Amino acid sequence: MLRSMTIATVLVAFLLPAFYSLPLFAASTDRPNIVLIMADDMGYECIGANGSTSYKTPHLDRLAAAGVRFEHCHVQPLCTPTRVQLMTGLYNQRNYIRFGLLDPEAVTFAHAFKQAGYATCVVGKWQLEGGLDGPRHFGFDEYCLWQLNRRPSRYANPGLEINGKQVDYSNGQYGPDLVSDYLCDFIDRNKDKPFLAYYPMILTHSPYEPTPDSKEWDASVKGVRSEAGNKKFFADMVQHCDKIVGKIVAKLDEAGVRERTLFIFIGDNGTGQGVVSMMGDREVHGGKGKTIDTGTHVPMIVNWPSKIPPGRVCGDLVDSTDFFPTMLAAAGISVPKEPALDGRSFLPQLLGQPGDPRSWIYCWYNRDGGTKGAELARNQRFKLYSDGRLFDVAADPLENNPLADATLSDEAQQARTQLQSALDQYKGTRRPVAGKTPDSKKAKGKKSRA
């Protein structure tokens, strides 16, 4: 892996100048900061602003009220597939290798921002291999991460990797607090120049354990209490996730950079299976790992005080490939020429303009890579799988009853035609990337935990 990473590093360094132009903004004060936060295993139903009645999310609710909340953001059903799409702007169908790995040759949004003169940082959960130099190889100047090259405790008394060193904690520290503290320090140190901060959160993934704000918190706990934990603590974990978001927003205010910071909050997939949440009198069962809506539908809140009109709700489709081009557009950086991104910028919608919204989004999904996977295209209402099954997901969210062609309404027939055309665009282009790297053979047949 080290040799392949070294070769890939040289290739990326050589090719990047051809992929990206210099920033369009002349002065650093004109260039927005970017903070992208991605919660782990937190579906759409977990946010108060979206209608949740199970959890308290006051900081996120305020961000939504002062910015724009999206109703139809969909990502991949699982964490690594979403991370790969988010960081590269490409569908899994084009560059996914296997669970827990990012292609060493991939070009990420961090490369683009670093090339444009931004300070770049990643904190939180990595889960993409590459060793202690991996984050730097993918464009991040500095990092404070869990699960970079080992899997110790992530919550009470965690083990982290910080800028090339393994650091273990044993005095009652809490992993999510430590990594978010590092992010706040990064903001302080870079407040006079543009920065990109990517925070793939550790929360709210299992094991479901007490947080420092829980009555049952025990600072003496070493390691993981149990593989799954107790789901009664999920609400505490959602609340602590929200608290950390509030801490970061407060730091942006304190540093005097909030007005010129594009702040994005999303989830990486649906809520963990077995977690039941309420939206009024409606039960929502976590669907992580499934291609139904509760596996892919995530919260999306965007706030940019100097640019985004407050209090809006957007019904446009967004998927995890769209953040790369949107962030580049916000910073005035040209999109790469090759490979052409699958994502589409939604910057105009953020600014209160009509933009060019998607009429469909696409998904290729196989947790373990290979050449075959679940494949679908969808719009806000209808979803078409490559095997021909068409669902009205608004009326049948669990996809129990495929629509019969003989009884399709005009709207459903039009959707089938349009979505089939979308599927046809990607037909036959999946490349056999499994086994591409030295680690892949060793990992074959081995189930890594998310």
Side-chain angles (χ1 to χ4, degrees), residues 10 21-22 31 38-39 59 62 93 123 154 158 209 220 225 235 273 306 329 353 372 383 445:
V10 173
S21 70
L22 292 176
R31 300 158 66 190
M38 182 172 66
H59 297 288
R62 282 195 290 271
Q93 203 258 14
V123 305
R154 72 184 85 186
E209 297 186 348
S220 68
R225 292 183 176 212
Q273 294 186 38
S306 65
Q353 303 163 7
K372 296 182 179 180
K383 180 186 294 186

Side-chain angles (χ1 to χ4, degrees), residues 208-337:
Y208 304 118
E209 297 186 348
T211 77
D213 296 328
S214 304
K215 293 179 181 179
E216 296 89 343
W217 169 252
D218 183 352
S220 68
V221 169
K222 300 294 190 294
V224 179
R225 292 183 176 212
S226 69
E227 181 70 19
N230 190 325
K231 294 182 181 66
K232 75 176 185 178
F233 295 119
F234 182 73
D236 291 2
M237 295 167 76
V238 171
Q239 190 164 340
H240 204 90
C241 169
D242 181 78
K243 177 181 178 180
I244 287 174
V245 168
K247 176 173 77 173
I248 295 167
V249 171
K251 174 54 66 175
L252 293 170
D253 277 326
E254 179 187 317
V257 298
R258 171 108 186 268
E259 289 292 314
R260 58 184 178 91
T261 298
L262 172 59
F263 189 101
I264 303 171
F265 178 89
I266 57 172
D268 72 340
N269 48 245
T271 307
Q273 294 186 38
V275 175
V276 181
S277 307
M278 300 301 298
M279 300 184 80
D281 59 359
R282 181 164 68 93
E283 283 190 354
V284 181
H285 293 253
K288 173 183 175 178
K290 301 178 180 180
T291 57
I292 59 175
D293 273 18
T294 51
T296 66
H297 191 198
V298 296
M300 176 180 169
I301 295 169
V302 187
N303 187 283
W304 190 0
S306 65
K307 298 289 186 180
I308 295 179
R312 291 185 300 117
V313 178
C314 184
D316 292 346
L317 288 166
V318 174
D319 75 20
S320 42
T321 66
D322 295 333
F323 295 89
F324 192 147
T326 301
M327 294 188 299
L328 292 187
I333 305 171
S334 296
V335 298
K337 299 176 181 177

